[in-house]
Structure formats: structure tokens, C-alpha cells
Amino acid sequence: MSAYVRLELARALRNPVGMTMLTVFPLLLFLLWAKVLTVAPPAEAMVSMATYGAMGGAMFVGGAIAMERAGGWLRQLAVTPLPAHGYVTAKLLGAAAGVLPSVLVVLAAGALLAGVRLPVGTWAALVVLIWAGVLPFAALGVAFGYTFRGQLASLAMMIVYFGLSVLGGLWVPVTSMPAGMRALAEYSPTYQVGSLGWRALEGEPPTGLSLAVLAGWTLVFVALALWRYRRAL
């Protein structure tokens, strides 16, 4: 299991095309939001777009899994001693490692290009909170990879990705949503991972609700990923 974890970490960090896409797109969106459209204060837009980019990087591990399935990699793993939880853990860690550069680049752009000024401790907290907060989306991506095949996996993830981003207030503030949608948004993993960063900007710790919602969604998506992996064997 440890060897496979190292393999996934190396693959995540040695993919220049993927790294570029996961880094440049949220960076451009942040600059658009903060410098051109000014739809939100720069610090809030920075957190939103760092979270948005990290979410996408975590979820799109599912596309790589769908390609591995098509290439017969799953059949090869089935004859090894690697347990299902070892495979899913390795994929989650690889996805988490792959999104870290995106988070760092967007936060650096906030400081260097948008004039965001925060205490050193707040910058560190933002990196940790956003990075750790996308774990449920990595699990969801693994589940998608073993539920859909080929391009269908990427299409399904794209739809869910944008839907969750809008629902969670990364594109439109939750306060501007209708009451029913706002109540639904508060229990979405997207809103709660975003709130980790938004609260950190104010020097406030995560709420118990945020931690409970994210932990609950993580358990649900990990269980779904394990089930779909075993079904695909």
C-alpha cells in the first residue's frame, strides 16, 4: 500500500499539463473576479477561487481513473495484494497533493497582484483549511471514476462540479440566493469548505457545523468510492 501511495503522489506531481490547467484557470478567474468585474472583495474572491480550483483538481481524479479502467489497469491491480481501501487512500492522497500548487498560486496572486494583506498565520491557515477541505471532493471523484466510463466520467464530473460551485456560493454569494436554496447550500460540502477560508479571513475558527458537514460528506463519498471500486473488480 505504501508503495502505491508513493506512486500516486509522484504521478500527481509529475503531470505538467494537469498542473498547468489546475493552476492557470482558477488564477485567471480570480483576476477576473477581483481586478476586472470586482464582484467580491479581493480577499473573498481569492478564497473562493482557490477553493474552486482545489475542488476541480480533486474531483478530476475520476477522469484519470476512467482512463485507467479503459486501459485494463484495474484488472492488473485485482491480482495484487493491494486492498480496496489502500487503492482509494492512494487516490485520495494523490488528488490532495495535486491541488496544493493551485491553492498556493491563487493565494500568492492575492498577495502580489490584488493587494490582499493578512497575518502570516492566516495565510498558513488558508492553505491548510482549503487543502484539507477538498478531501470529500477527491472521494467523490474516485466514485465517479468507477461509476462512469471514458468521456462520460469527465462530463458527469463537470456538471456536478459547476453545480456544486454555484450552490456553494463560490460564484454567487449565498446571501443573494432564495431562502430555500440558501438553506440547501448551507449543508453542501462546497459552501462549508468555502466557509473555512472565509471565516479564517476574519480570524475565526471553523464552526462545528462546517466540520460535521464536511466529515459526513467525506464518509459518504469514501463509502461510495469503495463500493464502486469493488463493484468494478
Side-chain angles (χ1 to χ4, degrees):
M1 176 177 168
S2 61
Y4 193 71
V5 169
R6 290 195 299 271
L7 172 64
E8 286 297 330
L9 290 175
R11 291 175 61 185
L13 297 174
R14 293 177 183 174
N15 182 0
V17 176
M19 284 288 183
T20 300
M21 292 181 62
L22 293 177
T23 300
V24 172
F25 188 56
L27 172 61
L28 293 177
L29 284 176
F30 163 64
L31 295 176
L32 177 65
W33 251 236
K35 303 289 286 184
V36 179
L37 301 179
T38 61
V39 295
E44 292 183 15
M46 177 186 71
V47 169
S48 295
M49 290 302 104
T51 303
Y52 175 76
M55 275 179 54
M59 286 185 65
F60 279 86
V61 68
I65 291 174
M67 292 176 61
E68 289 178 356
R69 292 177 65 196
W73 179 237
L74 182 60
R75 292 190 296 272
Q76 296 182 44
L77 287 178
V79 299
T80 71
L82 182 68
H85 70 272
Y87 176 85
V88 172
T89 299
K91 286 296 184 184
L92 293 179
L93 293 176
V99 305
L100 184 57
S102 173
V103 175
L104 294 175
V105 166
V106 175
L107 295 185
L112 300 175
L113 302 178
V116 177
R117 298 291 180 263
L118 300 170
V120 174
T122 301
W123 287 113
L126 287 175
V127 173
V128 173
L129 291 171
I130 295 173
W131 191 25
V134 299
L135 184 60
F137 302 101
L140 180 59
V142 175
F144 267 105
Y146 282 104
T147 301
F148 302 99
R149 293 184 178 275
Q151 293 299 319
L152 184 58
S154 296
L155 177 60
M157 284 186 296
M158 185 68 73
I159 294 172
V160 173
Y161 175 40
F162 281 110
L164 287 175
S165 297
V166 172
L167 178 64
L170 301 184
W171 292 75
V172 179
V174 169
T175 52
S176 66
M177 297 179 181
M181 189 175 179
R182 186 164 61 245
L184 181 63
E186 291 179 356
Y187 290 94
S188 71
T190 322
Y191 174 76
Q192 294 303 341
V193 70
S195 73
L196 298 180
W198 295 324
R199 288 179 63 85
L201 292 175
E202 305 298 326
E204 299 177 351
T207 65
L209 177 62
S210 292
L211 298 177
V213 169
L214 289 172
W217 282 113
T218 300
L219 291 175
V220 169
F221 292 150
V222 167
L224 179 61
L226 286 169
W227 174 63
R228 292 306 308 167
Y229 174 72
R230 293 189 175 106
R231 291 277 294 180
L233 290 176

